[in-house]
């Protein structure tokens, strides 16, 4: 739901919309719109002194709520001026409305066919800051406040994602589980995961590695169209092959060994180095063994818990971390609104840091799940890591690491990453609902 109003507003303790036949209380209008049954409500208010409003509380999710339900639920208000400034205009109309329309139509802000509300309000604020610097006699600063889960994404153009391919191959000896493109510069490089179906000697692994290298020499797997155009039809330069005996190990990055193959154009003395007792050259194949493989594999096996237990623990941590994240973002928004000082932001955020530290360390001590929920767990872990990064900026412990300008920029970047993590998790949970046979969302 969108609400846009451009007109006159009153100064003073109570702010009002000014009409030809009377006044309407601004806060009453905001409160009424916030009660709408629409999931997302956005108000754009272009009037003098329009920053004189409040938004109740910050959004928090409940323990069993999906990210899809949480993200975008609530309301947000972007005003064209603060509580003590007029709104200005000229022959081309209102400054704020022009800046807002510019942001809504600016292709620079569009990512994957969508425009986020958070990106839009940052754009509007920045252009009004530039206007104020260039026109000190007519200062104007936008105010943004929200009681909304995450942010809102507006679909503004069609987007067809690049379909990243994969190679799956199986015979009586092994399975090629994945072929990941890790191309760099002019080098076509692949990282391959292999599940061995039976015990193999080291010499047999060398033979398997040679066989796989030949299969993948001219393979075409890319992350995007740019890579496809650059490398398609050319032979691989480097292929790393990781071997494991259990699928649970591949999921968690635990491998028995890794082989490396490079073509004649690479520095073989570097790539085939035998420094270290765990590296050997067998049948002209460079193999690096991981001595702790069996210990780690047994540890994983002994600590696998039921999906229900893992899901509950992840959701419990997520509920708490998102609640703190939204509170910190709300405080940061007020700092960007110039309604609280950086000192006040430090004083408010620092106490959250120890709690987020505890929750983050707790998340790194989760029991292992089976492969059916591992992708969902990893997506949550990425979100937890981003939220924990909030503790690095407006925390007294790290005050001297950055100056004010840099702190603000990295915090903005981390907030955007937080919203992207939420969006990715939402899309994953939607897929999980569409495929209930995967037993991912109970």
């Amino acid at each position: 739901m969108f609400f846009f109003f451009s007109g006159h507003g009153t100064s003073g303790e109570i702010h009002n919309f000014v009409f030809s036949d009377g006044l309407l209380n601004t806060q009453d209008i905001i409160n009424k719109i916030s009660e709408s049954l629409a999931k997302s409500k956005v108000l754009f208010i272009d009037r003098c002194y329009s920053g004189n409003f409040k938004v109740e509380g910050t959004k928090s999710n409940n323990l069993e709520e999906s990210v899809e339900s949480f993200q975008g639920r609530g309301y947000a208000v972007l005003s064209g001026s603060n509580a003590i400034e007029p709104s200005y205009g000229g022959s081309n109309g209102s400054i704020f409305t022009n800046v807002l329309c510019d942001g809504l139509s600016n292709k620079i802000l569009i990512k994957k066919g969508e425009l986020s509300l958070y990106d839009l309000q940052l754009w509007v604020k920045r252009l009004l800051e530039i206007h104020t610097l260039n026109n000190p006699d007519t200062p104007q600063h936008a105010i943004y406040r929200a009681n909304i889960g995450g942010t809102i994404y507006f679909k503004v153009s069609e987007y067809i994602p690049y379909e990243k391919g994969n190679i799956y191959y199986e015979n009586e000896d092994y399975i090629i589980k994945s072929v990941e493109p890790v191309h760099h510069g002019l080098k076509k490089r692949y990282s391959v995961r292999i599940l061995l179906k039976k015990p193999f000697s080291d010499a047999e692994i060398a033979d398997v590695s040679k066989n796989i290298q030949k299969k993948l020499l001219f393979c075409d797997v890319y992350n995007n169209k740019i890579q496809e155009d650059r490398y398609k039809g050319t032979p691989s330069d480097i292929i790393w092959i990781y071997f494991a005996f259990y699928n649970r190990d591949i999921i968690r990055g635990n491998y028995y060994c890794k082989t490396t193959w490079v073509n004649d154009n690479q520095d073989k003395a570097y790539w085939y180095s035998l420094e270290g007792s765990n590296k050997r050259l067998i049948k002209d194949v460079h193999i690096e063994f991981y001595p702790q493989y069996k210990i780690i594999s047994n540890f994983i096996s002994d600590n696998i818990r039921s999906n229900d237990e893992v899901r509950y623990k992840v959701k419990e941590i997520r509920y708490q971390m998102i609640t703190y994240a939204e509170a910190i973002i709300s405080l940061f928004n007020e700092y960007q609104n110039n309604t609280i000082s950086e000192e006040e932001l430090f004083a408010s955020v620092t106490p959250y840091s120890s709690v987020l530290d505890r929750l983050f360390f707790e998340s790194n001590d989760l029991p292992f799940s089976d492969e059916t929920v591992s992708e969902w767990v990893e997506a949550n872990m990425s979100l937890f890591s981003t939220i924990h990064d909030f503790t690095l900026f407006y925390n007294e412990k790290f005050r001297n690491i950055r100056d004010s300008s840099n702190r603000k920029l990295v915090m903005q970047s981390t907030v955007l990453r937080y919203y992207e993590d939420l969006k990715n998790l939402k899309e994953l949970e939607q897929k999980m609902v569409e495929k209930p046979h995967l037993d991912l969302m109970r």
Side-chain angles (χ1 to χ4, degrees):
M1 174 181 179
F2 289 96
F3 175 88
F4 174 84
F5 183 86
S6 181
H8 296 292
T10 62
S11 61
E13 185 175 343
I14 298 175
H15 191 268
N16 297 285
F17 283 63
V18 177
F19 296 97
S20 59
D21 56 350
L23 306 176
L24 282 178
N25 183 276
T26 301
Q27 195 63 52
D28 287 345
I29 293 173
I30 293 174
N31 293 344
K32 191 66 177 177
I33 291 175
S34 73
E35 296 170 0
S36 166
L37 295 179
K39 179 181 178 181
S40 307
K41 285 83 65 174
V42 182
L43 296 86
F44 299 113
I45 303 176
D46 184 7
R47 293 168 299 142
C48 295
Y49 318 109
S50 53
N52 186 7
F53 68 90
K54 61 182 179 180
V55 167
E56 293 296 337
T58 57
K59 186 61 66 178
S60 64
N61 67 329
N62 62 57
L63 191 61
E64 291 301 320
E65 187 174 26
S66 68
V67 175
E68 193 280 331
S69 175
F70 167 76
Q71 181 171 289
R73 192 179 72 246
Y75 68 102
V77 184
L78 179 62
S79 71
S81 61
N82 64 27
I84 59 173
E85 291 175 340
S87 290
Y88 295 97
S91 58
N92 294 324
S94 161
I95 295 171
F96 171 76
T97 296
N98 283 330
V99 167
L100 177 63
C101 290
D102 181 68
L104 288 168
S105 59
N106 194 321
K107 293 182 179 180
I108 295 175
L109 300 180
I110 300 171
K111 301 170 184 175
K112 297 181 179 179
E114 295 179 325
L115 168 65
S116 79
L117 178 61
Y118 192 74
D119 276 329
L120 177 63
Q121 64 91 16
L122 287 178
W123 174 267
V124 169
K125 281 191 167 188
R126 182 56 185 153
L127 286 193
L128 286 182
E129 287 173 0
I130 292 172
H131 162 82
T132 298
L133 289 172
N134 293 334
N135 303 275
D137 294 335
T138 57
Q140 195 165 332
H141 300 83
I143 298 293
Y144 176 75
R145 296 189 178 105
N147 176 356
I148 201 165
T151 191
I152 298 171
Y153 291 88
F154 310 117
K155 185 176 180 179
V156 295
S157 64
E158 288 298 320
Y159 172 72
I160 301 175
Y162 180 83
E163 291 190 14
K164 176 184 171 182
N166 187 33
I167 293 175
Y168 180 93
Y169 173 82
E170 181 173 0
N171 62 22
E172 67 276 7
D173 293 327
Y174 63 86
I175 302 173
I176 299 180
K177 296 288 290 186
S178 68
V179 177
E180 290 294 324
V182 284
H183 311 308
H184 178 73
L186 298 177
K187 294 181 175 62
K188 186 177 182 180
R189 315 188 309 182
Y190 289 104
S191 178
V192 186
R193 269 59 179 171
I194 302 296
L195 178 63
L196 296 172
K197 289 186 169 184
K198 59 186 180 184
F200 281 81
S201 69
D202 295 344
E204 289 171 332
I205 286 178
D207 289 334
V208 169
S209 180
K210 286 182 177 180
N211 180 269
I212 294 170
Q213 177 264 314
K214 289 178 182 178
K215 289 182 182 296
L216 301 180
L217 182 60
F218 282 90
C219 81
D220 288 308
V221 181
Y222 309 104
N223 289 310
N224 51 57
K225 189 65 167 61
I226 295 174
Q227 289 186 351
E228 181 180 351
D229 292 342
R230 177 179 295 172
Y231 302 113
K232 189 170 184 178
T234 64
S236 300
D237 294 290
I238 305 176
I239 299 175
W240 293 283
I241 305 175
Y242 294 81
F243 295 89
F245 292 98
Y246 301 99
N247 202 49
R248 64 174 183 262
D249 293 325
I250 291 178
I251 291 171
R252 293 167 183 88
N254 180 41
Y255 298 102
Y256 172 69
C257 68
K258 175 188 74 173
T259 65
T260 300
W261 172 86
V262 301
N263 65 20
D264 293 336
N265 295 323
Q266 311 308 312
D267 183 356
K268 292 190 177 183
Y270 171 79
W271 290 112
Y272 294 166
S273 168
L274 296 179
E275 289 186 15
S277 59
N278 63 323
K279 297 177 182 179
R280 297 168 60 191
L281 201 61
I282 302 174
K283 293 188 174 183
D284 295 324
V285 175
H286 184 273
I287 306 180
E288 180 178 355
F289 295 93
Y290 299 107
Q292 301 299 314
Y293 170 72
K294 287 186 179 180
I295 295 174
I296 296 173
S297 183
N298 290 335
F299 177 80
I300 292 172
S301 178
D302 292 342
N303 287 276
I304 289 178
R305 298 293 182 265
S306 71
N307 289 349
D308 285 343
E309 182 180 345
V310 174
R311 272 193 297 261
Y312 181 83
K313 188 61 180 176
V314 169
K315 287 182 178 181
E316 186 179 41
I317 295 172
R318 186 172 80 186
Y319 155 70
Q320 297 179 74
M321 293 197 79
I322 284 180
T323 299
Y324 284 110
E326 293 291 334
I328 291 172
I329 291 171
S330 180
L331 288 165
F332 181 60
N333 284 339
E334 289 306 318
Y335 169 60
Q336 295 186 107
N337 289 337
N338 295 314
T339 57
I340 66 172
S341 66
E342 188 177 53
E343 288 297 323
E344 291 173 308
L345 183 59
F346 267 101
S348 298
V349 172
T350 296
Y352 291 134
S353 299
S354 60
V355 183
L356 287 175
D357 281 344
R358 175 182 60 78
L359 289 169
F360 181 64
F361 294 140
E362 191 176 331
S363 74
N364 281 279
D365 198 29
L366 287 167
F368 297 110
S369 61
D370 69 35
E371 61 185 89
T372 61
V373 297
S374 60
E375 185 180 3
W376 178 79
V377 172
E378 287 300 315
N380 277 278
M381 291 294 292
S382 176
L383 175 68
F384 299 161
S385 178
T386 298
I387 293 174
H388 184 252
D389 284 350
F390 288 166
T391 67
L392 303 178
F393 313 128
Y394 295 96
N395 181 350
E396 288 291 351
K397 184 178 178 180
F398 306 115
R399 178 189 282 265
N400 295 326
I401 294 178
R402 295 179 171 86
D403 60 26
S404 295
S405 177
N406 180 256
R407 259 194 301 271
K408 188 174 183 179
L409 287 174
V410 293
M411 183 64 181
Q412 288 175 347
S413 176
T414 307
V415 171
L416 290 170
R417 179 154 46 92
Y418 164 72
Y419 291 146
E420 282 297 310
D421 285 343
L422 280 176
K423 185 173 182 289
N424 293 336
L425 192 50
K426 168 190 167 183
E427 292 170 354
L428 178 59
E429 289 188 350
Q430 287 174 328
K431 291 179 183 177
M432 289 153 57
V433 171
E434 293 169 1
K435 298 180 179 179
H437 63 281
L438 295 179
D439 187 34
L440 297 174
M441 287 292 291
R442 262 170 61 195

